Amino acid sequence: MGVLKDHPELVLFASLALGYLVGKLRVGPLTLGGICGTLIVSLLLGAWTKAQVSDDVKTVFFALFIFALGYMAGPQFFRNLNKKSLRFFVLCGIELVCVLGIAFGLAKWFDLDVGTASGILAGAATESAVVGTATESIGKLSNLTAAQITEYQGNVATAYTVCYLFGLITIVLYTSQIMPMLLRINLRDAARELWEKTRSSGSLEADERPALPGMVGRTYLVTTADGRTIGDLTSHLAERVTVESVKRGSKILDVTPGLELTLSDLVLLVGRRANVIDAGRLIGPETPGVPGLDSPLASREVSVTDKALEGVTVDAMQRSHPEFLEDGIYVTDITRGDTDIPANGDTVLHRGDVLTLVGARSGLNKLVAKIGSVVKNDATDFIYLGLGIAAGSLLGQIVVKFGDVPLSLGTGGGCLISGLLFGWFRSRSQTFGAFPPQAASTIKDMGLAVFIACTGLVSGPQAWPLLKEYGALLPFAGIAMVLIPATLSLIIGRKLLNIEKPLLIGAIAGQQCSTPAITAVTQVAQSSVPMLGYTITYALSNFLLPLTGPVLVGVLGH
């Protein structure tokens, strides 16, 4: 016991390991997740060992978490600030008003302290970031003693733990099982039907692969094309077929329009399979792969920076850039932020989208320069990140008074806003400020996990008295604060906003920032279609919900 108390780092990392192990335990379709598991374990270890971790550790790791969260969400957040997404804004507005109103009402009705009320808000809304922003705001209340601040900050963690569990179960079951019944749909069929309406010819589901790939390279022996030039030949070839290389004897020739083909030359064509087969009839019989003639297809990840491509579809982009057709270049994947979206012809592009282009190297290099820039994301730019976190910390120190109520973003809120801005600015070209997605996810997850573990260790000794005092209220609050905004969003989303049903269910999971919920929804739908609604509200709520912590603390604390 003494060793653990004197070495809190042992208890801290034990909480992480055991917490994520507990979070993996599955009951039916539900798992607690690593964060909730870490908080439960750290509360128990904190009550047992009385280990103390410096508040500076919590502050640093929470700043890392919240900045990475904003950085990853920034591009999509600002992209969604348009008229087309206003109807999804309404859903996020419903969520914010409901959770703040319910938390404030419960605090007044049951005379809850500011820490318990904030913990109920964070847990029922299943938004872990609120734990940090609320805890930090409580520490800045000038009318509390040091003992009261410690007590109320501990109450945030305890109330969060209980409400999160019930809120998580409620949102998962409500979105994946109950909402389809209320909407009178088979979610799988509805998602498939919506997909069929929006997909372009040849588009595939996320788990599908073509049995016959559309883009191929084939070699042909020149017989019927003897004496024809490359320029003459290509003028008769079908669209999306290019002559990539020509071999004469043991020599590889430069492909130019004036090059004249002779009998027994070997020609490599690259393009759409059906068109390549048709073009081969103009040249001669097909041959097996020829060593030295093969020209592998190149791949580039390109960030869309051309202003003319903002808001246009993939098909429209290909029509406006004939290099796609002439050189056989294909869009195989589209990434928006950290989310993969369908790479079909009807997908609308935005600046900052990352396109994976595959095709013949000669045409690919020319096209990349016209539509964007090659993504540089191989190493983290710590200069850019350090400046962003420092700017966020400074922003968080600003105090604004609304009447007699002082409000401050704190380090958490400041770093969230700076993360959004720095992430959005980076997305405009993606040639600077690199923060690889895997690195960003690791920093985000580690930052939150360490912060939650530190909070649990400090709060452990006072958790049991709070549970005895408010035990029945906490589960009720966790369920009510999910059902009320979700039900209102379901009604308004269909009756007034006319959001397609699969997208609406995904958007409601997103307004709650619930990854387990959207996971369950997509499993039931057997489709990624609900993700299209989820990504919009998730990005907005990820920014807005953490700010409810300082607001609630400012109002109740005053």
Side-chain angles (χ1 to χ4, degrees):
M1 177 76 72
V3 173
L4 294 177
K5 187 174 182 180
D6 294 339
H7 295 277
E9 69 276 9
L10 296 178
V11 186
L12 174 61
F13 288 104
S15 297
L16 293 180
L18 295 175
Y20 272 78
L21 181 61
V22 170
K24 288 181 177 293
L25 299 179
R26 179 177 295 277
V27 179
L30 299 175
T31 56
L32 288 178
I35 297 302
C36 190
T38 296
L39 187 49
I40 292 172
V41 171
S42 62
L43 284 169
L44 295 175
L45 290 180
W48 177 49
T49 65
K50 305 296 191 296
Q52 296 293 316
V53 181
S54 171
D55 287 341
D56 291 338
V57 175
K58 292 198 299 181
T59 301
V60 169
F61 276 92
F62 186 68
L64 291 172
F65 155 69
I66 205 74
F67 180 83
L69 177 67
Y71 190 97
M72 297 169 70
Q76 189 168 340
F77 174 78
F78 285 102
R79 190 179 300 118
N80 289 329
L81 298 178
N82 56 60
K83 293 181 179 180
K84 191 173 182 180
S85 298
L86 283 178
R87 57 181 184 167
F88 292 99
F89 274 53
V90 175
L91 302 184
C92 293
I94 293 171
E95 179 74 20
L96 293 175
V97 172
C98 286
V99 297
L100 272 173
I102 295 171
F104 181 80
L106 290 175
K108 292 300 183 181
W109 193 2
F110 292 96
D111 195 25
L112 303 178
D113 63 81
V114 64
T116 302
S118 300
I120 289 175
L121 170 61
T126 61
E127 180 51 75
S128 305
V130 178
V131 177
T133 55
T135 299
E136 185 183 25
S137 298
I138 291 172
K140 294 185 176 182
L141 292 176
S142 58
N143 59 338
L144 298 180
T145 65
Q148 286 177 315
I149 289 175
T150 300
E151 178 186 352
Y152 293 163
Q153 287 179 333
N155 291 350
V156 174
T158 305
Y160 165 83
T161 304
V162 178
C163 290
Y164 179 89
L165 176 60
F166 284 89
L168 173 66
I169 294 172
T170 303
I171 189 63
V172 169
L173 294 179
Y174 197 37
T175 53
S176 64
Q177 306 297 327
I178 299 174
M179 281 188 181
M181 291 190 293
L182 294 177
L183 294 172
R184 298 179 181 178
I185 60 171
N186 179 299
L187 186 55
R188 178 183 177 183
D189 294 342
R192 185 71 184 184
E193 181 180 349
L194 183 59
W195 172 256
E196 293 292 346
K197 288 180 180 178
T198 59
R199 72 189 296 186
S200 63
S201 177
S203 297
L204 302 173
E205 288 277 19
D207 61 346
E208 295 177 334
R209 293 292 182 272
L212 293 173
M215 185 169 56
V216 297
R218 293 190 175 188
T219 57
Y220 294 90
L221 179 68
V222 173
T223 55
T224 56
D226 181 27
R228 301 183 68 170
T229 64
I230 295 294
D232 177 49
L233 183 64
T234 53
S235 67
H236 292 83
L237 293 179
E239 290 183 334
R240 299 196 179 188
V241 178
T242 59
V243 178
E244 187 64 19
S245 57
V246 176
K247 186 175 184 181
R248 182 170 295 165
S250 61
K251 185 178 180 181
I252 303 296
L253 306 179
D254 293 331
V255 178
T256 62
L259 176 63
E260 184 176 314
L261 298 175
T262 63
L263 197 66
S264 299
D265 282 351
L266 293 169
V267 178
L268 172 62
L269 298 183
V270 173
R272 290 189 179 277
R273 177 170 37 83
N275 294 334
V276 167
I277 293 173
D278 289 340
R281 298 190 180 101
L282 298 176
I283 300 174
E286 184 176 359
T287 67
V290 179
L293 185 63
D294 185 26
S295 179
L297 299 179
S299 175
R300 294 282 188 278
E301 286 191 344
V302 181
S303 173
V304 176
T305 58
D306 184 3
K307 294 181 180 179
L309 297 182
E310 174 67 33
V312 307
T313 64
V314 172
D315 279 344
M317 175 186 66
Q318 292 174 333
R319 287 192 297 269
S320 64
H321 291 81
E323 293 86 356
F324 279 101
L325 301 178
E326 294 171 357
D327 298 328
I329 309 300
Y330 293 79
V331 180
T332 60
D333 297 284
I334 303 175
T335 303
R336 183 168 296 161
D338 59 347
T339 303
D340 294 327
I341 60 176
N344 59 48
D346 297 321
T347 297
V348 176
L349 298 174
H350 299 283
R351 291 188 68 187
D353 285 353
V354 176
L355 311 181
T356 300
L357 303 182
V358 177
R361 190 179 303 276
S362 57
L364 187 60
N365 291 335
K366 293 184 295 183
L367 181 62
V368 167
K370 293 186 176 182
I371 67 173
S373 55
V374 177
V375 173
K376 295 181 179 179
N377 213 20
D378 53 346
T380 301
D381 186 345
F382 284 103
I383 298 174
Y384 191 70
L385 264 61
L387 289 174
I389 296 174
S393 298
L394 289 174
L395 179 62
Q397 307 313 309
I398 299 174
V399 178
V400 178
K401 285 193 174 183
F402 288 89
D404 294 330
V405 179
L407 293 177
S408 170
L409 291 173
T411 300
C415 285
L416 177 60
I417 291 178
S418 70
L420 286 167
L421 293 172
F422 274 63
W424 168 78
F425 192 59
R426 144 78 178 173
S427 72
R428 306 299 287 176
S429 66
Q430 304 209 38
T431 56
F432 62 91
F435 199 9
Q438 288 185 332
S441 294
T442 300
I443 291 292
K444 179 173 71 73
D445 295 343
M446 175 65 82
L448 180 59
V450 171
F451 169 80
I452 289 293
C454 292
T455 302
L457 291 174
V458 173
S459 309
Q462 64 202 60
W464 180 242
L466 183 72
L467 289 176
K468 288 197 299 183
E469 183 177 359
Y470 297 119
L473 172 64
L474 300 181
F476 167 78
I479 296 172
M481 288 179 68
V482 169
L483 290 180
I484 292 174
T487 302
L488 285 175
S489 294
L490 187 67
I491 296 171
I492 293 174
R494 280 305 300 162
K495 300 296 184 181
L496 299 180
L497 304 177
N498 198 31
I499 299 175
E500 293 82 355
K501 295 177 182 179
L503 298 185
L504 177 59
I505 293 175
I508 292 174
Q511 78 181 43
Q512 188 85 13
C513 293
S514 179
T515 302
I518 192 61
T519 301
V521 168
T522 53
Q523 287 175 347
V524 172
Q526 296 184 18
S527 169
S528 61
V529 166
M531 283 289 296
L532 299 177
Y534 172 84
T535 53
I536 300 176
T537 53
Y538 178 83
L540 295 172
S541 289
N542 243 336
F543 164 61
L544 296 172
L545 280 177
L547 299 180
T548 60
V551 171
L552 185 64
V553 170
V555 174
L556 293 179
H558 176 70

